[in-house]
Amino acid sequence: MSKAPPAPPSLQELRKEIDSIDEQVHRLLMARGDIIDRLIQVKQTQEVGSAFRPAREASMMRELVRRHRGILPLDTIESIWRVIISTFTYVQAPFAVHADVSVSEPAMRDSARFHFGFVVPYVAHFSAQAAVEAVAKSKGDLALVSAISSRTPWWIALEADGAPKIIARLPFLERADHPAALPVFVISRVADDAMVTEVQMWSVRVSGWNADIARALAPLAEIVAVPDTAFDGAALLVSDAGTGLEKIKMALIAAGASVRSSALVGSHATRYTVPPNGAARS
């Protein structure tokens, strides 16, 4: 006779397993804190401005995507890790998040809390320009501004040497029903070797801007445009994901615009798109 299959574990046994895992997670977080405490003494992070390392964070997020499985939603994992990273960064070198709420205060607050948690101070501003100015006056703060529209060309303030730069675009993992779906740029000062340069951000000022030129440029790069009536032109924030600035300039000229100036104002990692019930893809 074949043996009867083993009885399934009881609810009490399964809950004990969960309690054991929770304890291990807590102990590992405390161990991480001990390492951060030692890191502060070794690196003296407070003396070099923002402690954020965009390239390292992008690498960590990609590793999460690679190894993730099971029923827990991927964006939940992203939020947990983002809050862990942000909180320990705050412990190293306290900072605040300055958010432009002119697009949507609830959506911007959701984005800030999803990515940075509740420990990091949140400061609301009524324009992107005000949020960027606050970061420029700080030692290591961040600004969150809309990545898809603007009333003013706030990115012009990032052109100068030593000015804050765009260091990330969030959410890193995008899906249709993301709990913090507002597309935002993160602006701060970080070390040059900490930047990730897969998508370069350019401030480009043009004369002769119109809807036809915008349509001609659309296949080459994502653009935020603010009209400049004084020059019959526009200030553009151009996301170059590999096309190349010279090719973008040539397309502008071919479409009838004149390029007045261009300046690199930051860069960020290539993001992932998560289709419904599918694996993330970059």
Side-chain angles (χ1 to χ4, degrees), residues 1-273:
M1 293 180 61
S2 60
K3 293 183 179 180
S10 66
L11 286 176
Q12 185 177 5
E13 290 172 328
L14 291 174
R15 285 168 180 155
K16 283 183 178 179
E17 288 186 39
I18 290 174
D19 289 343
S20 175
I21 292 171
D22 288 347
E23 181 182 354
Q24 293 175 58
V25 170
H26 188 196
R27 290 186 183 281
L28 288 171
L29 286 173
M30 290 188 291
R32 195 183 198 279
D34 291 340
I35 295 173
I36 294 296
D37 193 27
R38 288 152 48 198
L39 185 71
I40 291 173
Q41 299 175 42
V42 173
K43 294 179 61 177
Q44 296 184 337
T45 309
Q46 300 94 325
E47 297 181 2
V48 296
S50 173
F52 275 87
R53 296 294 179 266
R56 175 166 167 75
E57 289 180 27
S59 176
M60 292 171 70
M61 291 299 110
R62 286 173 176 146
E63 183 63 20
L64 287 177
V65 172
R66 186 194 65 79
R67 68 173 178 246
H68 185 65
R69 61 179 178 81
I71 64 173
L72 190 62
L74 184 56
D75 47 28
T76 299
I77 293 294
E78 179 189 10
S79 180
I80 290 171
W81 250 258
R82 289 281 186 187
V83 172
I84 289 172
I85 293 168
S86 297
T87 303
F88 279 118
T89 301
Y90 179 79
V91 170
Q92 293 182 60
F95 67 96
V97 172
H98 298 269
D100 167 26
V101 299
S102 62
V103 175
S104 170
E105 200 282 336
M108 186 61 80
R109 184 176 291 272
D110 283 349
S111 179
R113 294 313 187 199
F114 179 91
H115 293 100
F116 303 99
F118 288 86
V119 172
V120 177
Y122 172 88
V123 184
H125 297 269
F126 293 106
S127 70
Q129 184 176 353
V132 171
E133 287 176 354
V135 168
K137 295 174 183 177
S138 75
K139 191 172 184 179
D141 289 357
L142 306 179
L144 300 183
V145 302
S146 171
I148 56 175
S149 64
S150 181
R151 298 172 183 173
T152 60
W154 52 265
W155 51 87
I156 291 175
L158 311 183
E159 292 182 352
D161 291 340
K165 304 297 180 187
I166 295 168
I167 65 170
R169 188 194 186 282
L170 303 174
F172 187 70
L173 301 174
E174 295 189 335
R175 64 179 175 86
D177 52 351
H178 195 289
L182 182 68
V184 298
F185 288 124
V186 183
I187 298 155
S188 188
R189 287 189 180 91
V190 299
D192 290 342
D193 61 0
M195 295 287 282
V196 55
T197 59
E198 294 162 355
V199 179
Q200 292 190 321
M201 302 300 306
W202 292 92
S203 172
V204 180
R205 303 188 216 187
V206 300
S207 298
W209 180 255
N210 57 46
D212 290 336
I213 297 173
R215 282 190 289 269
L217 210 57
L220 300 178
E222 293 181 0
I223 296 173
V224 179
V226 176
D228 182 354
T229 55
F231 291 94
D232 188 27
L236 312 179
L237 179 61
V238 180
S239 300
D240 175 17
T243 299
L245 181 64
E246 290 308 312
K247 187 173 181 179
I248 292 170
K249 285 183 177 180
M250 290 174 61
L252 282 166
I253 295 169
S258 298
V259 178
R260 294 165 45 211
S261 67
S262 61
L264 185 66
V265 292
S267 59
H268 63 78
T270 303
R271 305 182 312 282
Y272 281 97
T273 299

